[in-house]
Amino acid sequence: MDDMPGIITENSALIPGYHRLTVRLERPLGKVSPGQFVMLKVPDPEVFLRRPFSIYDARDRTVTVMYRVVGKGTDALSRARKKAPVMVLGPLGRGFSIPPAGACLVIAGGIGYAGVRMLLKRLGKRAALFLGITGKTELPLLSDLKGVEVLTATLDGSHGYHGNVVSLLKERFAPHRSQGPTIFACGPKGMIISLKEFLEPDKVPCQVSIEERMACGLGLCFGCIAETKDDTNPFKRVCKEGPVFDLWDLSL
Amino acid sequence: MGPLAVDILGKTLKNPVMNASGTLGYGIEIEPLWNIDILGAYVTKGLSEKPHHGNKTPRVWEERCGMINSIGLQNVGVEYFFSHYFPFFEEKKLPIIVNFFGFTEDEYVSCARKIPSHDLIVALEMNLSCPNIKKGGISFGKDAPAVHNIVRAVRDVTSVPLIAKLTPEVKNIVEIARAAHEGGADGLTLINTMPAAIIDTRTRSMPLKGGLSGPVLKPIALRAVYECYREIPIPIIGAGGIMDVEDALEFLMAGARAIEIGTATFVDPFTMPKVIAGLNSWLKENNYAGIPAITGIAHG
Ligand SMILES: Cc1cc2nc3c(=O)[nH]c(=O)nc-3n(C[C@H](O)[C@H](O)[C@H](O)COP(=O)(O)OP(=O)(O)OC[C@H]3O[C@@H](n4cnc5c(N)ncnc54)[C@H](O)[C@@H]3O)c2cc1C
Ligand SMILES: Cc1cc2nc3c(=O)[nH]c(=O)nc-3n(C[C@H](O)[C@H](O)[C@H](O)COP(=O)(O)O)c2cc1C
Ligand code: FES
């Protein structure tokens, strides 16, 4: 883990409102496990705190994140130009743990895809991605994902399954069940909750990456708490004990 | 001890730079980035007699020149801290200041009793911004007689030096500081966060009320330090919006014997090492023998 200066080499809109940002760092980020994140200092003096983003890709001295413009910080970031200097703190948090064998079903909702993209790369053919998006206009987000089976659910029915991604999973889950799959998920809270309801009867092993507002990303401020079922110490730091948790440990 | 050494409350610290309570976790979390024993002392996260779970999220929100937090004093409790985290500081021989709080006078007193006296414990830092649940939640630190009483009650049960950490949400901070001194405080930490709120226009709601920290506090904190230094004859630790060595120098010149850095660490986790190095170079470049030579120099 380190805090490193870097220079933006790519900050392009893949589709309106969704950007991919690549930073060339002074030194390599070091060993990254899928699901870990960075705290990025947005190059705009109006943005005070750093913002957390999942590591989308990391190789040699570059790190890539994919982000959706949702507010002040991401809006300022989307206007940063090539060659602008940024600070990148990471890799942070506890990522996914990949089982030695067995099928892996990866569920992503919207920009949650950014949080599992590195995992999908590591899993390769072992993985099937269940992706929930609003419509087919969001499909270009996947343009650089190869060699992974993708099942898509769109809310507007413009591509693949018409409905939400958990309903799609319900429909397609039967053949996977007997293989003792591991589920990985990243997406909005509503998606995680309905996923939990679906998996509850069999308590299928499931790791979820969750989000909370952060100030430090380092476990210093206790700002980013998630409630767990741990009796003695239920309030865990998403940035330190997470962002990936065992679904069955969380109190959702 | 080098040129940055400062004497405070009967101890000599290798430099005047500490973290502000609640902004450097339990101390161990920063180790992947830098060694905590570069600090003059580590200030603990606010500890209480019993563990506290703290508030629901959201707990943090950004402002243009700072942030608002509503952590709700989540902590493992004073006994757990001493059994599980204190050995780390013993191993490093790093002096610590134990920040603590309570929601009633009894809780302050029983918490203070549970803090052992130990060579490495420089002082207890009493967080007086806490709401008094027996007085409708108004904070202990807002009223001079209340401050006098609670400081005296704690003073009576501990022999460890006692620092009163004051809230800026008062009419006249010098009066409050005097009450703390007369109640038996050996030092002051100025200042804690300022009550503040956020309105979110997207959801048309107030998602968070809490304590404001960061650069927005600095001039308020500087004035508190400056005025208390003139009137109250006990050492002051300055805190509030220190982002770099220039800010740190301002506090020292206003009269602070040492300084605490909080929110800045979230923006740049290397702020404290940079300030320590910066103070060293500044003293050399300006031909001062040590920190004491500039303490309170702004008073002429
Ligand atoms: C571990 C982690 C990984 C993340 N990975 C990605 C990613 O790969 N791509 C991506 O687009 N987004 C990701 N996010 C979410 C991203 O951090 C927020 O969207 C971003 O911080 C919003 O900043 P803003 O200033 O634009 O929004 P604001 O104007 O501050 O707020 C807009 C919305 O974003 C939420 N938000 C604000 N600040 C944070 C924060 N610090 N953490 C979480 N949510 C916040 C608010 O609750 C609000 O709903 C991740 C969050 C976490 C915690
Ligand atoms: C996340 C956070 C947690 C804090 N927790 C405590 C605490 O437990 N006890 C306390 O006395 N002050 C606490 N404070 C106040 C700081 O110690 C400090 O007085 C204040 O933030 C001003 O300094 P700064 O602007 O450098 O952050 C906290 C501040 C923040 C931002
Ligand atoms: S963001 Fe500070 S503890 Fe997680």
Short mmCIF file of all heavy atoms in Angstrom, two decimals, chain A residues 1-3 41 46-51 70-72 89 212-216 218-223 225 234-235 237 240, chain B residues 22-26 29 33 45 53 57-64 66-67 71 74 202 215 243 263 265-267 269-270:
data_model
loop_
_atom_site.label_atom_id
_atom_site.label_comp_id
_atom_site.label_asym_id
_atom_site.label_seq_id
_atom_site.Cartn_x
_atom_site.Cartn_y
_atom_site.Cartn_z
N MET A 1 0.84 -1.21 0.00
CA MET A 1 0.00 0.00 0.00
C MET A 1 0.87 1.25 0.00
O MET A 1 1.86 1.31 0.70
CB MET A 1 -0.87 -0.01 1.26
CG MET A 1 -1.86 1.13 1.30
SD MET A 1 -2.39 1.50 2.98
CE MET A 1 -3.08 -0.07 3.51
N ASP A 2 0.48 2.22 -0.81
CA ASP A 2 1.25 3.46 -0.85
C ASP A 2 0.36 4.58 -1.39
O ASP A 2 -0.72 4.30 -1.94
CB ASP A 2 2.47 3.28 -1.76
CG ASP A 2 3.58 4.28 -1.42
OD1 ASP A 2 3.36 5.16 -0.56
OD2 ASP A 2 4.66 4.16 -2.01
N ASP A 3 0.80 5.81 -1.21
CA ASP A 3 0.10 6.93 -1.81
C ASP A 3 1.02 7.47 -2.88
O ASP A 3 2.13 7.90 -2.58
CB ASP A 3 -0.18 8.00 -0.74
CG ASP A 3 -1.10 9.09 -1.27
OD1 ASP A 3 -1.93 8.78 -2.14
OD2 ASP A 3 -0.99 10.24 -0.81
N LYS A 41 -7.45 11.27 -5.29
CA LYS A 41 -7.57 12.71 -5.04
C LYS A 41 -7.96 13.36 -6.36
O LYS A 41 -7.17 13.39 -7.31
CB LYS A 41 -6.24 13.26 -4.52
CG LYS A 41 -6.25 14.75 -4.24
CD LYS A 41 -6.70 15.05 -2.81
CE LYS A 41 -6.87 16.54 -2.54
NZ LYS A 41 -8.25 17.03 -2.78
N GLU A 46 -11.80 22.28 -5.30
CA GLU A 46 -13.14 22.35 -4.69
C GLU A 46 -13.56 21.03 -4.06
O GLU A 46 -14.53 20.98 -3.31
CB GLU A 46 -14.18 22.72 -5.76
CG GLU A 46 -14.10 24.16 -6.21
CD GLU A 46 -14.75 25.10 -5.20
OE1 GLU A 46 -15.95 24.95 -4.94
OE2 GLU A 46 -14.03 25.96 -4.66
N VAL A 47 -12.87 19.95 -4.43
CA VAL A 47 -13.24 18.63 -3.89
C VAL A 47 -12.28 18.30 -2.76
O VAL A 47 -11.10 18.05 -2.99
CB VAL A 47 -13.19 17.56 -5.00
CG1 VAL A 47 -13.63 16.20 -4.45
CG2 VAL A 47 -14.10 17.96 -6.16
N PHE A 48 -12.79 18.30 -1.52
CA PHE A 48 -11.93 18.24 -0.35
C PHE A 48 -11.42 16.83 -0.05
O PHE A 48 -10.21 16.62 0.06
CB PHE A 48 -12.69 18.81 0.86
CG PHE A 48 -11.87 18.87 2.10
CD1 PHE A 48 -10.78 19.73 2.19
CD2 PHE A 48 -12.18 18.08 3.20
CE1 PHE A 48 -10.01 19.79 3.34
CE2 PHE A 48 -11.41 18.14 4.36
CZ PHE A 48 -10.33 19.00 4.43
N LEU A 49 -12.32 15.87 0.07
CA LEU A 49 -11.90 14.51 0.42
C LEU A 49 -11.63 13.68 -0.83
O LEU A 49 -12.07 14.03 -1.92
CB LEU A 49 -12.98 13.81 1.26
CG LEU A 49 -13.25 14.37 2.66
CD1 LEU A 49 -14.45 13.67 3.28
CD2 LEU A 49 -12.03 14.22 3.56
N ARG A 50 -10.94 12.58 -0.64
CA ARG A 50 -10.72 11.66 -1.75
C ARG A 50 -11.98 10.84 -2.00
O ARG A 50 -12.90 10.81 -1.16
CB ARG A 50 -9.56 10.72 -1.41
CG ARG A 50 -8.26 11.49 -1.29
CD ARG A 50 -7.11 10.54 -1.06
NE ARG A 50 -5.88 11.28 -0.87
CZ ARG A 50 -4.70 10.89 -1.32
NH1 ARG A 50 -4.58 9.75 -1.96
NH2 ARG A 50 -3.62 11.63 -1.11
N ARG A 51 -12.02 10.15 -3.14
CA ARG A 51 -13.17 9.31 -3.47
C ARG A 51 -12.70 7.87 -3.70
O ARG A 51 -11.66 7.64 -4.31
CB ARG A 51 -13.83 9.81 -4.76
CG ARG A 51 -14.45 11.21 -4.66
CD ARG A 51 -15.65 11.25 -3.72
NE ARG A 51 -16.39 12.50 -3.80
CZ ARG A 51 -16.12 13.58 -3.08
NH1 ARG A 51 -15.10 13.60 -2.24
NH2 ARG A 51 -16.86 14.68 -3.22
N VAL A 70 -22.00 10.85 -10.56
CA VAL A 70 -23.19 10.92 -9.71
C VAL A 70 -23.26 12.19 -8.89
O VAL A 70 -24.30 12.50 -8.31
CB VAL A 70 -23.27 9.72 -8.74
CG1 VAL A 70 -23.47 8.41 -9.46
CG2 VAL A 70 -22.05 9.65 -7.84
N GLY A 71 -22.19 12.94 -8.79
CA GLY A 71 -22.21 14.13 -7.93
C GLY A 71 -20.98 14.99 -8.17
O GLY A 71 -20.30 14.86 -9.18
N LYS A 72 -20.72 15.84 -7.20
CA LYS A 72 -19.67 16.85 -7.34
C LYS A 72 -18.28 16.27 -7.67
O LYS A 72 -17.60 16.74 -8.58
CB LYS A 72 -19.61 17.62 -6.02
CG LYS A 72 -18.61 18.73 -5.97
CD LYS A 72 -18.76 19.47 -4.64
CE LYS A 72 -17.56 20.33 -4.36
NZ LYS A 72 -17.63 20.96 -3.04
N LEU A 89 -4.12 6.42 -3.64
CA LEU A 89 -3.79 5.69 -2.42
C LEU A 89 -4.36 4.28 -2.53
O LEU A 89 -5.56 4.12 -2.70
CB LEU A 89 -4.38 6.42 -1.21
CG LEU A 89 -4.31 5.75 0.16
CD1 LEU A 89 -2.87 5.58 0.61
CD2 LEU A 89 -5.10 6.55 1.19
N GLU A 212 -19.93 2.39 1.17
CA GLU A 212 -20.36 3.32 2.21
C GLU A 212 -19.57 4.60 1.98
O GLU A 212 -18.50 4.56 1.37
CB GLU A 212 -20.07 2.69 3.58
CG GLU A 212 -20.75 3.34 4.76
CD GLU A 212 -22.19 3.72 4.53
OE1 GLU A 212 -23.06 2.83 4.50
OE2 GLU A 212 -22.45 4.92 4.36
N ARG A 213 -20.10 5.71 2.42
CA ARG A 213 -19.35 6.97 2.30
C ARG A 213 -18.07 6.85 3.10
O ARG A 213 -18.08 6.35 4.22
CB ARG A 213 -20.17 8.14 2.81
CG ARG A 213 -21.42 8.41 2.04
CD ARG A 213 -22.12 9.62 2.58
NE ARG A 213 -21.47 10.84 2.11
CZ ARG A 213 -21.81 11.46 0.98
NH1 ARG A 213 -22.78 11.00 0.24
NH2 ARG A 213 -21.17 12.54 0.61
N MET A 214 -17.00 7.34 2.54
CA MET A 214 -15.70 7.21 3.21
C MET A 214 -15.02 8.56 3.35
O MET A 214 -15.21 9.45 2.52
CB MET A 214 -14.80 6.29 2.39
CG MET A 214 -15.27 4.86 2.41
SD MET A 214 -14.17 3.78 1.51
CE MET A 214 -14.98 2.22 1.86
N ALA A 215 -14.20 8.69 4.40
CA ALA A 215 -13.35 9.87 4.50
C ALA A 215 -11.90 9.49 4.26
O ALA A 215 -11.22 10.09 3.46
CB ALA A 215 -13.52 10.55 5.85
N CYS A 216 -11.42 8.41 4.96
CA CYS A 216 -9.99 8.10 4.88
C CYS A 216 -9.67 6.90 4.02
O CYS A 216 -8.62 6.84 3.40
CB CYS A 216 -9.43 7.90 6.29
SG CYS A 216 -10.01 6.38 7.09
N LEU A 218 -8.71 4.16 5.09
CA LEU A 218 -7.60 3.45 5.74
C LEU A 218 -7.96 2.84 7.09
O LEU A 218 -7.09 2.30 7.77
CB LEU A 218 -6.44 4.43 5.95
CG LEU A 218 -5.66 4.88 4.72
CD1 LEU A 218 -4.84 6.13 5.05
CD2 LEU A 218 -4.76 3.76 4.23
N GLY A 219 -9.21 2.99 7.49
CA GLY A 219 -9.59 2.46 8.81
C GLY A 219 -9.29 3.43 9.94
O GLY A 219 -9.31 3.05 11.10
N LEU A 220 -9.05 4.70 9.63
CA LEU A 220 -8.67 5.67 10.66
C LEU A 220 -9.86 6.37 11.30
O LEU A 220 -9.82 6.72 12.47
CB LEU A 220 -7.76 6.74 10.05
CG LEU A 220 -6.52 6.25 9.31
CD1 LEU A 220 -5.80 7.43 8.67
CD2 LEU A 220 -5.59 5.54 10.28
N CYS A 221 -10.93 6.63 10.53
CA CYS A 221 -11.97 7.54 11.01
C CYS A 221 -13.23 6.84 11.49
O CYS A 221 -14.06 7.45 12.14
CB CYS A 221 -12.31 8.55 9.91
SG CYS A 221 -13.26 7.88 8.52
N PHE A 222 -13.42 5.59 11.18
CA PHE A 222 -14.65 4.86 11.52
C PHE A 222 -15.90 5.51 10.93
O PHE A 222 -16.98 5.47 11.50
CB PHE A 222 -14.78 4.68 13.05
CG PHE A 222 -13.84 3.63 13.59
CD1 PHE A 222 -12.47 3.87 13.64
CD2 PHE A 222 -14.32 2.39 13.99
CE1 PHE A 222 -11.59 2.89 14.10
CE2 PHE A 222 -13.44 1.40 14.46
CZ PHE A 222 -12.08 1.66 14.52
N GLY A 223 -15.75 6.09 9.74
CA GLY A 223 -16.86 6.74 9.06
C GLY A 223 -17.69 5.80 8.22
O GLY A 223 -18.84 6.09 7.88
N ILE A 225 -19.13 2.53 8.25
CA ILE A 225 -19.46 1.32 9.00
C ILE A 225 -20.55 0.46 8.35
O ILE A 225 -21.50 0.99 7.77
CB ILE A 225 -19.93 1.76 10.41
CG1 ILE A 225 -18.75 2.32 11.20
CG2 ILE A 225 -20.66 0.70 11.15
CD1 ILE A 225 -17.51 1.52 11.27
N PRO A 234 -20.02 -5.57 16.29
CA PRO A 234 -20.86 -5.67 15.10
C PRO A 234 -20.55 -4.63 14.01
O PRO A 234 -20.81 -4.90 12.84
CB PRO A 234 -22.28 -5.48 15.64
CG PRO A 234 -22.12 -4.80 16.95
CD PRO A 234 -20.79 -5.17 17.49
N PHE A 235 -20.00 -3.48 14.41
CA PHE A 235 -19.84 -2.41 13.42
C PHE A 235 -18.46 -2.42 12.79
O PHE A 235 -17.48 -1.98 13.39
CB PHE A 235 -20.17 -1.06 14.04
CG PHE A 235 -21.62 -0.93 14.38
CD1 PHE A 235 -22.10 -1.29 15.63
CD2 PHE A 235 -22.54 -0.51 13.43
CE1 PHE A 235 -23.45 -1.21 15.93
CE2 PHE A 235 -23.89 -0.43 13.72
CZ PHE A 235 -24.35 -0.79 14.97
N ARG A 237 -15.59 -1.70 9.67
CA ARG A 237 -15.24 -0.66 8.70
C ARG A 237 -15.25 -1.24 7.28
O ARG A 237 -14.53 -2.21 7.00
CB ARG A 237 -13.85 -0.11 9.00
CG ARG A 237 -13.78 0.70 10.28
CD ARG A 237 -12.37 0.88 10.76
NE ARG A 237 -11.78 -0.39 11.20
CZ ARG A 237 -10.61 -0.49 11.83
NH1 ARG A 237 -9.90 0.59 12.09
NH2 ARG A 237 -10.16 -1.66 12.19
N LYS A 240 -11.80 -1.29 5.67
CA LYS A 240 -10.71 -2.06 6.27
C LYS A 240 -11.08 -3.53 6.38
O LYS A 240 -10.39 -4.39 5.85
CB LYS A 240 -10.41 -1.47 7.65
CG LYS A 240 -9.30 -2.12 8.40
CD LYS A 240 -8.03 -1.33 8.27
CE LYS A 240 -6.89 -2.08 8.96
NZ LYS A 240 -5.64 -1.88 8.27
N GLY B 22 -9.33 10.34 17.38
CA GLY B 22 -10.39 9.85 16.49
C GLY B 22 -10.05 9.93 15.02
O GLY B 22 -10.88 9.59 14.18
N THR B 23 -8.84 10.37 14.70
CA THR B 23 -8.49 10.52 13.28
C THR B 23 -7.30 9.67 12.87
O THR B 23 -6.82 9.77 11.74
CB THR B 23 -8.18 12.00 12.94
OG1 THR B 23 -7.01 12.38 13.65
CG2 THR B 23 -9.32 12.92 13.32
N LEU B 24 -6.83 8.82 13.80
CA LEU B 24 -5.75 7.91 13.44
C LEU B 24 -6.06 6.52 14.00
O LEU B 24 -5.16 5.80 14.42
CB LEU B 24 -4.39 8.44 13.94
CG LEU B 24 -3.14 7.94 13.20
CD1 LEU B 24 -3.13 8.39 11.76
CD2 LEU B 24 -1.87 8.35 13.90
N GLY B 25 -7.32 6.17 13.97
CA GLY B 25 -7.76 4.85 14.41
C GLY B 25 -7.19 4.50 15.78
O GLY B 25 -7.11 5.35 16.67
N TYR B 26 -6.79 3.23 15.94
CA TYR B 26 -6.14 2.79 17.18
C TYR B 26 -4.63 2.85 17.05
O TYR B 26 -3.90 2.30 17.88
CB TYR B 26 -6.62 1.38 17.54
CG TYR B 26 -8.07 1.40 17.99
CD1 TYR B 26 -9.09 0.91 17.18
CD2 TYR B 26 -8.41 1.97 19.22
CE1 TYR B 26 -10.42 0.96 17.60
CE2 TYR B 26 -9.73 2.02 19.63
CZ TYR B 26 -10.73 1.53 18.83
OH TYR B 26 -12.03 1.59 19.24
N GLU B 29 -3.32 1.22 12.30
CA GLU B 29 -3.81 1.24 10.91
C GLU B 29 -2.88 2.00 9.98
O GLU B 29 -2.88 1.76 8.77
CB GLU B 29 -5.21 1.84 10.85
CG GLU B 29 -6.30 1.03 11.55
CD GLU B 29 -6.47 1.38 13.02
OE1 GLU B 29 -5.56 2.03 13.59
OE2 GLU B 29 -7.49 0.99 13.61
N LEU B 33 1.84 2.67 5.96
CA LEU B 33 2.32 3.87 5.26
C LEU B 33 3.52 4.52 5.93
O LEU B 33 4.46 4.93 5.27
CB LEU B 33 1.19 4.90 5.13
CG LEU B 33 0.04 4.48 4.21
CD1 LEU B 33 -1.05 5.54 4.20
CD2 LEU B 33 0.52 4.23 2.78
N LYS B 45 -7.99 7.22 20.21
CA LYS B 45 -9.39 7.40 19.88
C LYS B 45 -10.14 7.60 21.19
O LYS B 45 -9.72 7.09 22.22
CB LYS B 45 -9.83 6.10 19.19
CG LYS B 45 -11.15 6.16 18.53
CD LYS B 45 -11.31 4.96 17.62
CE LYS B 45 -12.77 4.86 17.21
NZ LYS B 45 -13.32 6.12 16.69
N HIS B 53 -21.07 1.49 20.28
CA HIS B 53 -21.21 1.12 18.88
C HIS B 53 -21.22 2.32 17.95
O HIS B 53 -21.00 2.19 16.76
CB HIS B 53 -22.50 0.33 18.66
CG HIS B 53 -22.46 -1.05 19.24
ND1 HIS B 53 -21.27 -1.69 19.49
CD2 HIS B 53 -23.44 -1.91 19.63
CE1 HIS B 53 -21.52 -2.90 20.01
NE2 HIS B 53 -22.83 -3.05 20.11
N THR B 57 -24.92 5.06 9.77
CA THR B 57 -24.37 5.83 8.66
C THR B 57 -25.52 6.62 8.02
O THR B 57 -26.67 6.23 8.21
CB THR B 57 -23.73 4.90 7.61
OG1 THR B 57 -24.71 3.99 7.16
CG2 THR B 57 -22.55 4.16 8.20
N PRO B 58 -25.28 7.71 7.26
CA PRO B 58 -23.95 8.24 6.98
C PRO B 58 -23.31 8.89 8.20
O PRO B 58 -23.99 9.53 8.99
CB PRO B 58 -24.22 9.29 5.90
CG PRO B 58 -25.63 9.72 6.12
CD PRO B 58 -26.35 8.49 6.60
N ARG B 59 -22.02 8.69 8.30
CA ARG B 59 -21.26 9.26 9.42
C ARG B 59 -20.32 10.36 8.97
O ARG B 59 -19.76 11.06 9.82
CB ARG B 59 -20.43 8.16 10.07
CG ARG B 59 -21.21 7.15 10.89
CD ARG B 59 -20.24 6.13 11.46
NE ARG B 59 -20.88 5.28 12.44
CZ ARG B 59 -20.20 4.46 13.23
NH1 ARG B 59 -18.87 4.39 13.14
NH2 ARG B 59 -20.81 3.71 14.11
N VAL B 60 -20.05 10.44 7.70
CA VAL B 60 -19.13 11.48 7.21
C VAL B 60 -19.70 12.13 5.96
O VAL B 60 -20.40 11.48 5.17
CB VAL B 60 -17.73 10.91 6.87
CG1 VAL B 60 -16.98 10.53 8.13
CG2 VAL B 60 -17.80 9.73 5.92
N TRP B 61 -19.42 13.41 5.82
CA TRP B 61 -19.87 14.14 4.65
C TRP B 61 -18.85 15.23 4.37
O TRP B 61 -18.28 15.81 5.28
CB TRP B 61 -21.25 14.78 4.93
CG TRP B 61 -22.08 14.92 3.70
CD1 TRP B 61 -21.98 15.90 2.76
CD2 TRP B 61 -23.15 14.06 3.27
NE1 TRP B 61 -22.93 15.70 1.78
CE2 TRP B 61 -23.65 14.59 2.06
CE3 TRP B 61 -23.73 12.90 3.79
CZ2 TRP B 61 -24.71 13.98 1.37
CZ3 TRP B 61 -24.77 12.32 3.10
CH2 TRP B 61 -25.25 12.85 1.90
N GLU B 62 -18.68 15.52 3.10
CA GLU B 62 -17.68 16.51 2.73
C GLU B 62 -18.27 17.91 2.68
O GLU B 62 -19.43 18.09 2.34
CB GLU B 62 -17.14 16.13 1.35
CG GLU B 62 -16.24 17.17 0.75
CD GLU B 62 -15.76 16.73 -0.60
OE1 GLU B 62 -14.96 15.79 -0.65
OE2 GLU B 62 -16.18 17.32 -1.61
N GLU B 63 -17.48 18.89 3.02
CA GLU B 63 -17.81 20.29 2.84
C GLU B 63 -16.73 20.91 1.96
O GLU B 63 -15.68 20.30 1.74
CB GLU B 63 -17.82 20.98 4.21
CG GLU B 63 -19.20 21.41 4.65
CD GLU B 63 -19.90 22.24 3.60
OE1 GLU B 63 -19.28 23.18 3.08
OE2 GLU B 63 -21.07 21.93 3.29
N ARG B 64 -16.97 22.12 1.49
CA ARG B 64 -15.98 22.73 0.61
C ARG B 64 -14.61 22.86 1.30
O ARG B 64 -13.59 22.58 0.69
CB ARG B 64 -16.48 24.11 0.17
CG ARG B 64 -15.71 24.67 -0.97
CD ARG B 64 -16.26 26.01 -1.43
NE ARG B 64 -17.09 25.91 -2.61
CZ ARG B 64 -18.38 26.25 -2.66
NH1 ARG B 64 -18.98 26.71 -1.60
NH2 ARG B 64 -19.05 26.16 -3.78
N GLY B 66 -13.76 21.43 4.44
CA GLY B 66 -13.69 20.56 5.60
C GLY B 66 -14.68 19.43 5.50
O GLY B 66 -15.11 19.08 4.40
N MET B 67 -15.02 18.87 6.65
CA MET B 67 -15.96 17.75 6.63
C MET B 67 -16.78 17.76 7.91
O MET B 67 -16.43 18.41 8.89
CB MET B 67 -15.19 16.43 6.52
CG MET B 67 -14.29 16.16 7.69
SD MET B 67 -13.48 14.54 7.59
CE MET B 67 -14.80 13.46 8.17
N ILE B 71 -19.53 10.19 14.02
CA ILE B 71 -19.10 8.82 14.29
C ILE B 71 -19.86 8.29 15.51
O ILE B 71 -20.18 7.10 15.58
CB ILE B 71 -17.57 8.76 14.57
CG1 ILE B 71 -16.76 9.46 13.45
CG2 ILE B 71 -17.09 7.33 14.78
CD1 ILE B 71 -16.95 8.91 12.07
N GLN B 74 -17.82 5.71 18.60
CA GLN B 74 -17.60 4.26 18.57
C GLN B 74 -16.22 3.95 19.14
O GLN B 74 -15.23 4.55 18.73
CB GLN B 74 -17.69 3.73 17.13
CG GLN B 74 -17.35 2.24 17.04
CD GLN B 74 -17.56 1.66 15.65
OE1 GLN B 74 -17.98 2.35 14.73
NE2 GLN B 74 -17.26 0.39 15.48
N ARG B 202 -30.74 17.10 -3.39
CA ARG B 202 -31.28 16.03 -4.22
C ARG B 202 -32.38 15.27 -3.50
O ARG B 202 -33.40 14.93 -4.06
CB ARG B 202 -30.17 15.04 -4.63
CG ARG B 202 -29.34 15.55 -5.79
CD ARG B 202 -28.18 14.62 -6.07
NE ARG B 202 -27.26 14.59 -4.93
CZ ARG B 202 -25.97 14.30 -5.01
NH1 ARG B 202 -25.44 13.98 -6.18
NH2 ARG B 202 -25.20 14.30 -3.96
N PRO B 215 -9.93 22.74 7.48
CA PRO B 215 -9.43 24.11 7.33
C PRO B 215 -10.42 25.20 7.77
O PRO B 215 -10.01 26.26 8.25
CB PRO B 215 -9.17 24.24 5.83
CG PRO B 215 -9.00 22.86 5.35
CD PRO B 215 -9.74 21.95 6.27
N MET B 243 -3.24 21.75 8.09
CA MET B 243 -3.07 20.99 6.85
C MET B 243 -1.61 20.87 6.44
O MET B 243 -1.25 20.01 5.65
CB MET B 243 -3.83 21.67 5.69
CG MET B 243 -5.33 21.83 5.91
SD MET B 243 -6.21 20.27 6.16
CE MET B 243 -6.22 19.61 4.50
N THR B 263 -8.17 15.91 10.43
CA THR B 263 -8.77 15.77 9.10
C THR B 263 -7.76 15.75 7.95
O THR B 263 -7.96 15.06 6.95
CB THR B 263 -9.79 16.92 8.92
OG1 THR B 263 -10.72 16.85 10.00
CG2 THR B 263 -10.53 16.82 7.61
N THR B 265 -5.11 14.27 7.58
CA THR B 265 -4.62 12.91 7.29
C THR B 265 -5.53 12.19 6.29
O THR B 265 -5.06 11.35 5.52
CB THR B 265 -4.51 12.11 8.60
OG1 THR B 265 -3.59 12.79 9.46
CG2 THR B 265 -4.02 10.69 8.37
N PHE B 266 -6.81 12.55 6.27
CA PHE B 266 -7.73 11.90 5.32
C PHE B 266 -7.47 12.40 3.90
O PHE B 266 -7.67 11.68 2.93
CB PHE B 266 -9.19 12.17 5.69
CG PHE B 266 -9.54 11.85 7.13
CD1 PHE B 266 -10.63 12.44 7.74
CD2 PHE B 266 -8.78 10.94 7.86
CE1 PHE B 266 -10.96 12.14 9.06
CE2 PHE B 266 -9.09 10.65 9.19
CZ PHE B 266 -10.18 11.26 9.78
N VAL B 267 -7.05 13.66 3.80
CA VAL B 267 -6.78 14.25 2.49
C VAL B 267 -5.41 13.79 1.98
O VAL B 267 -5.26 13.41 0.83
CB VAL B 267 -6.83 15.80 2.59
CG1 VAL B 267 -6.48 16.43 1.26
CG2 VAL B 267 -8.20 16.24 3.08
N PRO B 269 -2.52 11.25 3.63
CA PRO B 269 -2.13 10.44 4.79
C PRO B 269 -0.70 10.70 5.27
O PRO B 269 -0.33 10.27 6.35
CB PRO B 269 -2.31 9.00 4.31
CG PRO B 269 -2.37 9.07 2.83
CD PRO B 269 -2.86 10.43 2.46
N PHE B 270 0.09 11.38 4.47
CA PHE B 270 1.46 11.68 4.88
C PHE B 270 1.61 13.08 5.49
O PHE B 270 2.73 13.57 5.64
CB PHE B 270 2.42 11.52 3.69
CG PHE B 270 2.71 10.08 3.38
CD1 PHE B 270 1.98 9.41 2.40
CD2 PHE B 270 3.69 9.37 4.05
CE1 PHE B 270 2.23 8.07 2.10
CE2 PHE B 270 3.95 8.04 3.77
CZ PHE B 270 3.21 7.38 2.79
#
